[in-house]
Amino acid sequence: MSVSAEESAVKVCVRVRPLIEREERATAEDSVPAPLYWKADRKSIHQLDDGVTTKSFSYDRVFSSSETTNHLYQDIAKPLVVSAVEGYNGTIFAYGQTSSGKTFTMMGSKLVPGVIPLSMEEVFQTIQNYPQKEFLLRVSYMEIYNETVTDLLVDNWKRKPLEVREALNKNIYVADLTEELVTCPAQALSWVFKGEKNRHYGKTKMNERSSRSHTIFRMILESREKSDPASGDNSEGAIIVSHLNLVDLAGSERASQTGAEGARFKEGCNINRSLFTLAQVIKKLSDESQRGFTNYRDSKLTRILQNSLGGNAKTVIICTITMAALEETLSTLQFASTAKKMKNDPHVTEVSDDGALLKRYRNEIVDLKRRLQEVSSVTHVTATEKESLSQLLQEKDQLQKEQQDRIKNLTKLLVTGSSLMPAKKIPKRRVTWGGKLVRLSGTTERDVGQSDLSFAEHFSRKRKADSSSMELLEEDEEFDSRWEIPEDYSFTTDTGSVRARGDSSDFVSPSGSGQKEADLERRLEEERGEREEAQANVASLEGRLEEERGEREEAQANVASLEGRLEEERGEREEAQANVASLEGRLEEERGEREEAQANVASLEEERGEAQARLSSLQKEWQLHLQQQVELLAREKREAWEEVERLEQRALELEVQRSAQAQEQQEQVQMLELRLADLQEQSHTEAGPDEQVCSITPSSTASLIHRACSSDSITHS
């Protein structure tokens, strides 16, 4: 939405303050009327010098001392407040010297409301003219005191310095600033009054209640078209966001006039510096020849009001003056004339993402409603899932228990079967065949009560003598591999029965034939031969065992030597630990010395900071003094030039007067000459030829003319 050139220009008005008690008291003491250096009409202010107009300034509107704040608001401020409700950013701020009436104009009194209370009333009245829209209003109140931004809506003990930051969309904002939602003018004004209680005020010679800080009361307005619940429209369109800034600036002041000292002097220096930066920024923005980079960061005030100075905002500047001051009023009027040349670029700001708080609130409400509708089904699903998981866990526990039982049973079988199927490194298949069967038959007798392998009992008596040698063979890990049982042999135990797979002989029946007994005897003879061979191997293993015993003794000797070395190393380690303890002691001492040095460094840093602060303060005071001296010299120079002009005018008047007198004297001379000629002619006519008359000579005529001129000059003097 574009705006006209007139709307893009900054509106500047001037308000004349009536004489206050201090000025009237000074007039009463001198018994002379207060000198008035200015004269105002509806749109201009004129400087008076002995009743003569010397300078004139023109503005959008000039309000005399007889006009009220409501007149000012209706003519200048109200259109901006209405446009803020429509979606334009707007800023109104009061500028002027100390005690010129800025705070009264912005805040007003109990009987005369100021611009801020009137603006709050206007916002809510204007909202009533847009029934098809819904608004969300937030207010904040900040203070810039000694170039530090603080929040006026929090208690003093919670207050802390705030940082001015720049968002991704180039908007300037104050981090952690409190924003309160408001729904009526009274609620908004209650926050204004709370902020005023927390604002810094002080007493000076110029003002009993002087503002010592700049304040910015900001209202953020978010608006959108209303949704239609019947049609299910949630109005996901753009949201219009606008800011209304109402600024009360502290007044510039001179320490010689206010009598400021100490903290008051420091406050005055910071106020003057921020206002000087504001004037420089406005001067650069108003001068088209200086277009380019504008440094808003030199002051917190210009940084926060960056959008209002040449940016996306409509701006109104109210300059307050008094007729009884010459230099201060002239400075304010020059600032106002410069600001009037500044141009802004106001336009409506639309937010189409979730950045606006109103849209976030509506989305949150819709989401909460959806979750409320789904909570019952979610609860049912969750209960079903829990029941299913509980059943699965029970099945898992049952399966684990069954698996453990199966593993335990299989383990028992494996342990029982280990005497029948030893590992590869304990080969004893054929050698222990008969013994295994006897032991197996004994086991089955204990378990079942009746052995199906009773035919093998006579082998048990023959195997007892060989039990010791067989136990040794079972423990030997390097027995010959040919004693292994083929992999296709397996033993199964089922109700006391044993079957050797790979052999067609069946040992289940106890009534075996003689052929089977002969076969068993043959096998026993073969096993006996194999046993003898195994005994030879055992003898060889015993030799090897002796060798290993010697090696073990040698290893023990090496171990003893290593233990000796270990004792030496232990002693060296204890000595090293003692050295470490000593070093730790020295380290603690050095740490203490270092902490002491750090404390000294911190103290020196603090002293240096204080010195730098003092130096900075002195530099600022000196700069202010130089600035005052420069202003004084400029004023004296200006007065000297005015005196020169006055003298030149006087000389010109005297020259004109002298020329007039010379012309008048010449005319008199001519008249005298004419009279003289008349007299001579008359005397010649009246006198006879024989009469003696006193003739008039030229020399006497000149003498008469000279006396006449002298008398005329004396008369003029």
Side-chain angles (χ1 to χ4, degrees), residues 386-402:
K386 287 183 178 180
E387 184 178 356
S388 177
L389 288 174
S390 176
Q391 185 176 359
L392 290 175
L393 288 174
Q394 291 178 359
E395 293 177 358
K396 179 182 177 182
D397 293 339
Q398 183 66 25
L399 289 174
Q400 287 181 348
K401 187 175 181 181
E402 293 178 358

Side-chain angles (χ1 to χ4, degrees), residues 1-9 88 313-314 344-348:
M1 186 180 295
S2 61
V3 296
S4 62
E6 182 181 358
E7 292 179 342
S8 64
Y88 292 95
K314 294 183 178 182
N344 287 351
D345 182 24
H347 55 270
V348 175

Side-chain angles (χ1 to χ4, degrees), residues 420-455:
L420 301 176
M421 286 196 337
K424 289 186 178 182
K425 51 190 178 180
I426 309 178
K428 45 188 178 296
R429 297 292 183 249
R430 293 190 177 182
V431 175
T432 60
W433 181 261
K436 297 295 181 182
L437 293 177
V438 172
R439 285 195 294 273
L440 182 58
S441 64
T443 302
T444 53
E445 287 178 0
R446 289 189 300 269
D447 296 339
V448 183
Q450 179 68 30
S451 177
D452 292 333
L453 298 176
S454 58
F455 65 92

Side-chain angles (χ1 to χ4, degrees), residues 311-378:
N312 176 22
K314 294 183 178 182
T315 304
V316 169
I317 301 177
I318 304 172
C319 294
T320 56
I321 62 171
T322 174
M323 295 294 191
L326 176 60
E327 296 178 2
E328 292 81 359
T329 299
L330 179 61
S331 176
T332 301
L333 295 177
Q334 289 173 345
F335 170 86
S337 298
T338 304
K340 195 175 185 304
K341 302 175 184 177
M342 187 171 57
K343 302 289 184 181
N344 287 351
D345 182 24
H347 55 270
V348 175
T349 303
E350 294 184 351
V351 179
S352 57
D353 55 9
D354 287 342
L357 187 62
L358 179 62
K359 188 165 187 176
R360 291 201 302 269
Y361 283 171
R362 290 196 60 87
N363 290 341
E364 185 176 355
I365 292 172
V366 172
D367 183 63
L368 289 174
K369 289 182 179 179
R370 179 183 55 80
R371 291 171 60 185
L372 184 62
Q373 293 174 357
E374 295 178 355
V375 67
S376 58
S377 60
V378 170

Side-chain angles (χ1 to χ4, degrees), residues 191-305:
W191 293 114
V192 174
F193 296 147
K194 179 178 181 179
E196 282 297 304
K197 292 181 181 179
N198 295 329
R199 186 181 180 183
H200 286 84
Y201 287 97
K203 181 179 179 181
T204 65
K205 291 182 179 179
M206 299 286 291
N207 197 349
E208 291 291 329
R209 192 169 183 264
S210 175
S211 301
R212 313 309 297 168
S213 63
H214 311 302
T215 61
I216 303 175
F217 181 78
R218 173 174 293 175
M219 172 175 279
I220 303 175
L221 302 94
E222 297 183 9
S223 61
R224 62 178 293 168
E225 298 294 332
K226 283 186 177 180
S227 60
D228 187 4
S231 61
D233 182 15
N234 290 328
S235 294
E236 295 295 335
I239 295 176
I240 298 176
V241 180
S242 60
H243 292 185
L244 177 61
N245 299 315
L246 304 174
V247 186
D248 181 16
L249 299 178
S252 59
E253 59 186 38
R254 293 182 180 180
S256 59
Q257 294 178 345
T258 60
E261 295 179 353
R264 292 287 174 267
F265 180 76
K266 181 180 179 181
E267 293 168 353
C269 292
N270 286 305
I271 291 171
N272 291 339
R273 186 182 304 109
S274 62
L275 293 177
F276 175 76
T277 303
L278 174 64
Q280 293 299 314
V281 169
I282 291 178
K283 182 179 180 181
K284 187 168 185 179
L285 292 172
S286 60
D287 190 355
E288 295 183 357
S289 62
Q290 296 185 5
R291 291 290 175 154
F293 174 73
T294 304
N295 190 3
Y296 295 92
R297 298 176 182 268
D298 288 344
S299 171
K300 298 290 181 63
L301 177 64
T302 54
R303 182 62 169 160
I304 295 174
L305 297 178

Side-chain angles (χ1 to χ4, degrees), residues 98-166:
T98 184
S99 74
S100 60
K102 299 178 300 300
T103 302
F104 177 80
T105 300
M106 297 302 294
M107 294 301 304
S109 62
K110 293 182 179 179
L111 300 178
V112 182
V115 172
I116 293 179
L118 293 174
S119 299
M120 295 299 100
E121 292 284 348
E122 190 67 38
V123 166
F124 288 94
Q125 289 180 3
T126 307
I127 288 175
Q128 295 178 1
N129 298 330
Y130 295 92
Q132 74 280 7
K133 286 188 176 182
E134 55 186 1
F135 291 82
L136 180 70
L137 308 180
R138 292 171 284 158
V139 296
S140 61
Y141 205 2
M142 70 188 82
E143 175 187 52
I144 305 175
Y145 176 71
N146 287 340
E147 283 302 301
T148 301
V149 183
T150 56
D151 191 348
L152 291 177
L153 298 186
V154 300
D155 297 331
N156 291 330
W157 63 275
K158 293 182 180 179
R159 198 170 305 162
K160 63 179 181 179
L162 304 180
E163 296 182 0
V164 182
R165 298 178 180 175
E166 183 174 357

Side-chain angles (χ1 to χ4, degrees), residues 492-504:
T492 59
T493 58
D494 187 7
T495 64
S497 64
V498 179
R499 179 181 296 274
R501 296 178 182 174
D503 191 354
S504 59

